[in-house]
């Protein structure tokens, strides 16, 4: 009976994540850090006290269902790396780590995956070199100025990705506190740390 209830809970989580991704896609936000953090938070927080196989199986289900609703490139470039980060977050939330070490290690991992996602977007989706991708944005009519200071602009862009990665880790940590205090009692989960 318990395995059936666990399966139902996992299915509900997969449904919630996919529906949120569909809603974000309608708002054209599936290719942003917002969709990534949604996946990471839901997978990481929910599966932290569960068997790793369950988080992997649920991630595979989310991946396969997303193939039905999104184009293949979006799924491979944005959703798959986010699912991998969610599984990594599950492992880190499961372990008792010093707060600063947790933030440092996860920020580095998130940064690596976020850079891979950015390069993947530039190379695969936009079909251009990463540096050209960074300098291509002519939102403010400053493309000539951006090209003139290309090294600085690319460096600032990479720093921005690092800051976003850090913020994603902080959001994950804060949401996990809320999850343990508010959500776990509602879904009748037991916190193994307490």
């Amino acid at each position: 009976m318990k395995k059936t209830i666990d399966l139902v809970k996992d299915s509900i989580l997969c449904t919630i994540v996919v529906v949120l991704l569909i809603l974000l896609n309608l708002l054209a936000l599936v290719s942003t850090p917002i969709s990534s953090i949604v996946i990471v938070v839901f997978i990481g927080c929910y599966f932290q006290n569960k068997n790793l196989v369950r988080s992997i199986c649920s991630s595979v289900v989310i991946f396969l269902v997303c193939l039905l609703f999104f184009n293949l490139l979006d799924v491979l470039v944005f959703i798959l790396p986010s699912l991998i980060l969610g599984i990594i977050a599950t492992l880190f939330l499961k372990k008792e780590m010093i707060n600063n070490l947790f933030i440092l290690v996860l920020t580095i991992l998130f940064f690596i995956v976020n850079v891979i996602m950015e390069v993947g977007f530039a190379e695969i989706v936009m079909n251009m070199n990463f540096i050209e991708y960074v300098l291509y944005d002519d939102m403010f009519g400053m493309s000539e100025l951006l090209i003139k200071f290309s090294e600085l602009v690319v460096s600032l862009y990479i720093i921005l990705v690092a800051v976003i990665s850090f913020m994603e880790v902080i959001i994950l940590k804060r949401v996990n506190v809320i999850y343990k205090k508010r959500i776990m009692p509602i879904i009748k989960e037991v916190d193994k740390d307490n």
Side-chain angles (χ1 to χ4, degrees):
M1 182 69 177
K2 183 174 180 344
K3 287 192 176 191
T4 305
I5 292 172
D6 289 343
L7 184 62
V8 169
K9 287 180 181 179
D10 293 355
S11 300
I12 291 171
L13 175 87
C14 291
T15 304
I16 290 170
V17 170
V18 170
V19 167
L20 285 173
L21 289 174
I22 290 170
L23 292 174
L24 287 171
N25 189 42
L26 292 174
L27 299 172
L29 295 174
V30 81
S31 61
T32 64
I34 295 171
S35 62
S36 177
I37 196 65
V38 165
I39 295 170
V40 170
V41 163
F42 275 89
I43 300 280
C45 291
Y46 180 74
F47 288 107
Q48 66 185 314
N49 293 323
K50 295 165 186 63
N51 189 339
L52 181 62
V53 174
R54 285 177 63 186
S55 66
I56 293 172
C57 289
S58 293
S59 296
V60 168
V61 168
I62 292 169
F63 175 78
L64 293 174
V65 173
C66 284
L67 287 173
L68 298 172
F69 294 102
F70 306 107
N71 85 35
L72 180 63
L73 292 178
D74 283 343
V75 174
L76 291 177
V77 173
F78 300 111
I79 295 173
L80 180 61
S82 300
L83 289 169
I84 292 169
L85 278 179
I87 294 169
I88 292 170
T90 298
L91 296 173
F92 276 85
L93 289 172
K94 190 177 291 196
K95 305 250 184 252
E96 286 189 28
M97 294 181 77
I98 301 169
N99 194 31
N100 294 338
L101 181 64
F102 173 87
I103 291 171
L104 176 67
V105 173
L106 264 186
T107 299
I108 292 169
L109 290 172
F110 276 51
F111 174 72
I112 291 168
V113 173
N114 284 336
V115 166
I116 291 170
M117 286 169 55
E118 291 291 328
V119 171
F121 180 75
E123 299 282 336
I124 297 169
V125 177
M126 299 297 289
N127 198 21
M128 57 182 17
N129 180 316
F130 177 70
I131 295 172
E132 291 174 359
Y133 163 71
V134 173
L135 300 174
Y136 177 73
D137 191 7
D138 196 22
M139 183 186 308
F140 302 109
M142 299 175 12
S143 59
E144 290 179 18
L145 185 62
L146 292 178
I147 292 170
K148 185 176 179 181
F149 296 104
S150 60
E151 291 177 7
L152 177 64
V153 172
V154 172
S155 299
L156 289 174
Y157 191 84
I158 291 173
I159 290 170
L160 178 65
V161 172
V163 169
I164 289 171
S165 302
F166 174 74
M167 294 306 295
E168 287 176 336
V169 173
I170 297 299
I171 290 169
L172 173 66
K173 190 94 171 129
R174 299 290 183 226
V175 170
N176 191 45
V177 170
I178 295 168
Y179 173 78
K180 285 183 172 185
K181 286 183 181 177
R182 306 277 186 219
I183 308 297
M184 282 181 103
I186 294 172
I187 61 174
K188 296 180 174 43
E189 294 286 332
V190 177
D191 185 6
K192 293 182 181 174
D193 293 339
N194 294 331

